[in-house]
Amino acid sequence: MGRTLRRTAAFTALWKALITGSGNDTSFVQRLSAMPRMVGNTLRGKYDGLGRLLMISAATAYVMSPVDLVPEAFFLLFGLADDVIIVSWIAGALLSETDRYLMWENGGKAPVSGTVLDGEVV
Protein backbone atom coordinates (compact mmCIF):
# COMPACT_ATOMS: atom_id res chain seq x y z
CA MET A 1 0.00 0.00 0.00
CA GLY A 2 2.87 2.40 0.75
CA ARG A 3 4.19 2.08 -2.78
CA THR A 4 0.76 2.95 -4.23
CA LEU A 5 0.43 6.03 -2.02
CA ARG A 6 3.93 7.10 -2.93
CA ARG A 7 3.23 6.70 -6.64
CA THR A 8 0.05 8.73 -6.27
CA ALA A 9 1.91 11.51 -4.45
CA ALA A 10 4.73 11.45 -7.00
CA PHE A 11 2.41 11.71 -10.00
CA THR A 12 0.36 14.40 -8.26
CA ALA A 13 3.55 16.44 -7.88
CA LEU A 14 4.44 15.83 -11.53
CA TRP A 15 0.94 16.86 -12.64
CA LYS A 16 1.13 20.11 -10.63
CA ALA A 17 4.54 20.92 -12.07
CA LEU A 18 3.34 20.34 -15.62
CA ILE A 19 0.25 22.49 -15.12
CA THR A 20 2.20 25.28 -13.43
CA GLY A 21 4.72 25.36 -16.25
CA SER A 22 8.15 26.86 -16.51
CA GLY A 23 7.23 30.51 -16.43
CA ASN A 24 6.56 31.14 -20.12
CA ASP A 25 3.23 31.47 -21.90
CA THR A 26 3.03 27.84 -23.04
CA SER A 27 -0.14 26.27 -21.68
CA PHE A 28 -0.54 22.75 -20.37
CA VAL A 29 -2.78 21.91 -23.33
CA GLN A 30 -0.09 23.07 -25.77
CA ARG A 31 2.51 20.94 -23.98
CA LEU A 32 0.24 17.91 -23.83
CA SER A 33 -0.70 18.15 -27.50
CA ALA A 34 2.97 18.60 -28.46
CA MET A 35 4.12 15.38 -26.76
CA PRO A 36 2.81 12.91 -29.39
CA ARG A 37 4.24 15.10 -32.18
CA MET A 38 7.54 15.34 -30.32
CA VAL A 39 7.76 11.56 -29.91
CA GLY A 40 6.76 10.99 -33.54
CA ASN A 41 9.27 13.49 -34.92
CA THR A 42 11.96 12.06 -32.67
CA LEU A 43 11.32 8.48 -33.82
CA ARG A 44 11.33 9.63 -37.46
CA GLY A 45 14.70 11.34 -36.90
CA LYS A 46 13.43 14.86 -37.56
CA TYR A 47 13.88 16.06 -33.96
CA ASP A 48 17.03 15.38 -31.90
CA GLY A 49 15.37 14.50 -28.58
CA LEU A 50 15.87 10.71 -28.55
CA GLY A 51 18.36 10.60 -25.68
CA ARG A 52 16.28 12.91 -23.51
CA LEU A 53 13.05 11.03 -24.22
CA LEU A 54 14.76 7.72 -23.37
CA MET A 55 15.98 9.16 -20.05
CA ILE A 56 12.50 10.50 -19.21
CA SER A 57 10.98 7.12 -20.10
CA ALA A 58 13.52 5.22 -17.99
CA ALA A 59 12.94 7.51 -15.00
CA THR A 60 9.17 7.10 -15.33
CA ALA A 61 9.53 3.32 -15.52
CA TYR A 62 11.68 3.38 -12.37
CA VAL A 63 9.09 5.37 -10.41
CA MET A 64 6.31 3.03 -11.53
CA SER A 65 8.36 -0.13 -10.99
CA PRO A 66 7.99 -2.26 -7.84
CA VAL A 67 11.82 -2.50 -7.74
CA ASP A 68 13.33 0.29 -5.67
CA LEU A 69 17.02 1.11 -5.13
CA VAL A 70 16.31 2.67 -1.74
CA PRO A 71 13.32 0.82 -0.19
CA GLU A 72 11.08 2.76 2.19
CA ALA A 73 10.62 -0.27 4.46
CA PHE A 74 14.25 0.03 5.58
CA PHE A 75 15.17 3.66 5.02
CA LEU A 76 11.89 5.55 5.54
CA LEU A 77 12.44 9.16 4.40
CA PHE A 78 15.52 8.34 2.34
CA GLY A 79 13.45 5.73 0.51
CA LEU A 80 10.88 8.37 -0.38
CA ALA A 81 13.50 10.97 -1.24
CA ASP A 82 14.89 9.09 -4.23
CA ASP A 83 11.45 8.94 -5.82
CA VAL A 84 10.73 12.59 -5.07
CA ILE A 85 14.02 13.58 -6.66
CA ILE A 86 13.33 11.49 -9.75
CA VAL A 87 9.77 12.79 -10.15
CA SER A 88 11.05 16.36 -9.79
CA TRP A 89 13.62 15.67 -12.48
CA ILE A 90 10.94 14.16 -14.76
CA ALA A 91 8.76 17.25 -14.35
CA GLY A 92 11.64 19.59 -15.11
CA ALA A 93 12.80 17.49 -18.06
CA LEU A 94 9.31 17.38 -19.56
CA LEU A 95 8.89 21.13 -19.15
CA SER A 96 12.27 21.80 -20.68
CA GLU A 97 11.87 19.32 -23.53
CA THR A 98 8.38 20.47 -24.51
CA ASP A 99 9.60 24.09 -24.49
CA ARG A 100 12.57 23.10 -26.62
CA TYR A 101 10.39 21.08 -29.00
CA LEU A 102 7.81 23.85 -29.41
CA MET A 103 10.59 26.32 -30.19
CA TRP A 104 12.03 23.87 -32.75
CA GLU A 105 8.58 23.34 -34.25
CA ASN A 106 8.06 27.11 -34.55
CA GLY A 107 11.38 27.59 -36.33
CA GLY A 108 13.28 28.82 -33.29
CA LYS A 109 10.65 31.28 -32.11
CA ALA A 110 9.26 30.95 -28.59
CA PRO A 111 5.65 29.73 -28.57
CA VAL A 112 3.11 32.40 -27.74
CA SER A 113 -0.38 31.81 -26.45
CA GLY A 114 -3.27 34.02 -27.45
CA THR A 115 -5.59 34.73 -30.35
CA VAL A 116 -4.18 35.66 -33.74
CA LEU A 117 -5.94 38.57 -35.44
CA ASP A 118 -4.55 39.92 -38.71
CA GLY A 119 -1.20 38.22 -38.12
CA GLU A 120 -0.72 39.61 -34.59
CA VAL A 121 -1.16 37.81 -31.28
CA VAL A 122 -3.70 39.53 -29.07
Side-chain angles (χ1 to χ4, degrees):
M1 177 157 165
R3 184 85 179 165
T4 303
L5 290 174
R6 187 175 51 140
R7 266 191 222 128
T8 302
F11 284 109
T12 300
L14 177 59
W15 177 259
K16 286 180 182 177
L18 288 173
I19 289 175
T20 303
S22 61
N24 64 18
D25 289 337
T26 308
S27 73
F28 175 73
V29 173
Q30 287 173 311
R31 290 176 193 284
L32 191 61
S33 67
M35 285 185 198
R37 294 191 315 271
M38 179 174 64
V39 170
N41 282 325
T42 300
L43 294 177
R44 284 190 291 279
K46 294 179 180 179
Y47 178 66
D48 68 348
L50 183 61
R52 288 176 293 279
L53 291 179
L54 288 175
M55 291 296 294
I56 292 168
S57 298
T60 303
Y62 172 75
V63 171
M64 294 176 62
S65 168
V67 177
D68 200 353
L69 294 178
V70 185
E72 293 78 27
F74 302 112
F75 299 108
L76 300 175
L77 291 178
F78 294 114
L80 292 173
D82 72 322
D83 289 327
V84 169
I85 290 168
I86 291 171
V87 168
S88 299
W89 179 83
I90 292 170
L94 282 173
L95 290 171
S96 175
E97 197 57 30
T98 53
D99 283 345
R100 189 172 167 275
Y101 175 76
L102 288 169
M103 283 184 66
W104 173 83
E105 195 174 46
N106 291 325
K109 299 175 187 166
V112 179
S113 63
T115 305
V116 177
L117 297 175
D118 297 325
E120 295 183 27
V121 178
V122 184

